[in-house]
Amino acid sequence: MKPLEGITIIDLTHMLSGPYGTMLLADLGARTIKVEPIGHGENTRALLANSTDYSRQGMGAYFLTLNRGKESVCIDLKSPEGLAVFYDLVKEADVVFDNFSAGVTRRLKIDHDTLSSINPRIVTCSVTGFGETGPARDRPAFDQVVQGMGGGMSITGFKDGPPVRAGIPIGDLGGGVFGAIGVLSSLVKRSASGKGEHVDVSMLDAQVSMLNYMATMYLMSGNVPGRLGNGHFVHVPYNTFKTTDGYIIIACIGDTFFQRLLEVMPLPGLCKPEYQEQPGRFAHEAEINQLIQAHIETASTAHWLALLSGARIPCAPVNDFEQALSDPQILARDMVVDVTLQSGETLKMPGNPVKVGGSGNTTFTPPPLLGQDTDQVLSSVLGYSAETINALRRKEIIQ
């Protein structure tokens, strides 16, 4: 049994932040019913949909990944009859999750106040760029907007270069992760109170939260941090070094690891008394990095990984996607999984990082074709007759 079996989520999400949050919940066992517009479905279905490399069955990689394990129901939420069908679904659900722009749910009459009057136990979650309060609440936002505004880009990149966004879309993904956490928290609270509530998650808030101790350091001192490349503002050596065939990371946090490094690299230049404790190393960061770099570049990544790992010094290669997604540790943790599509073709995707009860979820149902579950959901969940369903379809209320 998966942790969230028995929980039903109505998924109104699109693009990346919302679908990622509901994907995490679906991975954990929640029945996730994706309500999509008639005709074209969620807009992300069209992204890369015509790519030879990055699409299957008319679905691009975005949609394929973010919507695995979900069901698709097409309803016209802008019509009174379609809204009535949606309200019937809300009566049977636990969560309604969206990432519409601020104000859209109220305009569509699917906001928390409206839905809680239909089902007082419903938990609603809205992930927006800037949240539902504050002077920027009505502004649109995408990943890089909140990465930049949240401060993280200002410390990403090299000292003499421009700010750089994170390669992973952490602005979007962070909103989805915190949305999922908010939903789980409200479900636990509901188990005691019997009443649902609204979760308001801002992608910008998530970025500021992840500044974490560095934000506290600034607020304590007034010192604005800058870009350090791959170095660290406290620990030395803590950097990326070029080998004969790639790059390797060495992360010596504390004096003990540095002493171990000296056993692997007994270089006279590193054995100076002033380098044996952190303050001295930090004062001579450039010299230490140069000495290590000159030594590291004489051998391969595999050579140094073997020596450094053998001495239990924190280290890692800088992997590309091919290397990362074939790493034995990643494969042992089921972080590359097979998902079989309706056509019978099997795709590989990233797995579920949450391992509960000693194991992870390694089986996933495929992302849904547009509207493939409309009849089944309306009949089995809502008890609609075939005649009622056919009448709604003739009126183009459902698809």
Side-chain angles (χ1 to χ4, degrees), residues 41-368:
E42 187 224 305
N43 288 337
T44 317
R45 280 187 180 271
L47 286 177
L48 302 175
N50 296 319
S51 168
T52 302
D53 290 334
Y54 305 128
S55 70
R56 298 292 187 276
Q57 294 187 244
M59 295 178 282
Y62 280 79
F63 191 89
L64 286 166
T65 307
L66 293 162
N67 294 285
R68 67 188 184 200
K70 302 178 183 180
E71 300 168 69
S72 174
V73 172
C74 290
I75 304 174
D76 178 10
L77 294 182
K78 296 181 180 179
S79 70
E81 288 182 90
L83 202 55
V85 174
F86 180 77
Y87 289 161
D88 282 345
L89 280 174
V90 170
K91 293 174 185 176
E92 305 300 324
D94 298 282
V95 178
V96 175
F97 197 128
D98 79 87
N99 64 313
F100 292 126
S101 298
V104 170
T105 58
R106 188 170 297 278
R107 187 164 67 248
L108 291 177
K109 300 179 183 178
I110 56 173
D111 56 289
H112 180 76
D113 288 344
T114 300
L115 300 187
S116 64
S117 69
I118 297 166
N119 178 0
R121 290 176 56 81
I122 200 74
V123 170
T124 58
C125 176
S126 294
V127 177
T128 58
F130 300 102
E132 298 175 16
T133 58
R137 64 185 179 274
D138 294 326
R139 289 176 53 188
F142 290 104
D143 174 74
Q144 191 167 176
V145 172
V146 297
Q147 281 200 42
M149 194 168 173
M153 277 182 64
S154 74
I155 58 172
T156 305
F158 288 91
K159 184 176 181 179
D160 298 326
V164 178
R165 71 172 178 87
I168 295 171
I170 59 171
D172 280 323
L173 299 179
V177 170
F178 282 99
I181 292 171
V183 165
L184 295 174
S185 300
S186 291
L187 288 173
V188 171
K189 183 178 177 181
R190 188 189 71 176
S191 68
S193 69
K195 184 174 176 58
E197 62 186 359
H198 182 59
V199 178
D200 167 14
V201 172
S202 156
M203 291 161 57
L204 179 63
D205 291 355
Q207 296 304 289
V208 172
S209 173
M210 289 188 284
L211 296 179
N212 203 263
Y213 63 88
M214 297 189 72
T216 302
M217 291 169 62
Y218 161 72
L219 293 169
M220 292 171 67
S221 67
N223 297 325
V224 179
R227 292 181 288 284
L228 296 173
N230 294 323
H232 199 281
F233 60 90
V234 175
H235 303 294
V236 177
Y238 189 110
N239 217 311
T240 302
F241 300 94
K242 192 177 188 307
T243 67
T244 57
D245 60 356
Y247 291 87
I248 190 170
I249 295 162
I250 299 175
C252 288
I253 296 181
D255 299 334
T256 299
F257 286 121
F258 184 71
Q259 294 304 316
R260 294 179 186 175
L261 184 67
L262 293 181
E263 296 174 8
V264 173
M265 300 181 186
L267 304 175
L270 290 180
C271 296
K272 295 180 180 180
E274 60 266 35
Y275 292 176
Q276 304 315 301
E277 294 183 348
Q278 183 274 334
R281 292 196 299 276
F282 185 71
H284 296 87
E285 178 183 17
E287 298 96 304
I288 291 172
N289 284 339
Q290 287 171 5
L291 284 167
I292 294 173
Q293 178 57 69
H295 194 55
I296 287 285
E297 64 190 23
T298 63
S300 68
T301 299
H303 170 84
W304 289 117
L305 283 174
L307 288 178
L308 294 165
S309 298
R312 293 190 56 77
I313 295 168
C315 62
V318 178
N319 285 333
D320 61 21
F321 276 38
E322 180 180 6
Q323 294 163 328
L325 296 175
S326 62
D327 186 282
Q329 177 64 24
I330 289 170
L331 296 179
R333 297 282 294 173
D334 295 319
M335 284 310 298
V336 177
V337 297
D338 292 329
V339 178
T340 302
L341 303 181
Q342 293 86 346
S343 64
E345 180 181 2
T346 297
L347 294 182
K348 292 187 180 297
M349 298 180 185
N352 172 23
V354 181
K355 318 297 183 188
V356 179
S359 64
N361 174 20
T362 58
T363 58
F364 302 88
T365 57

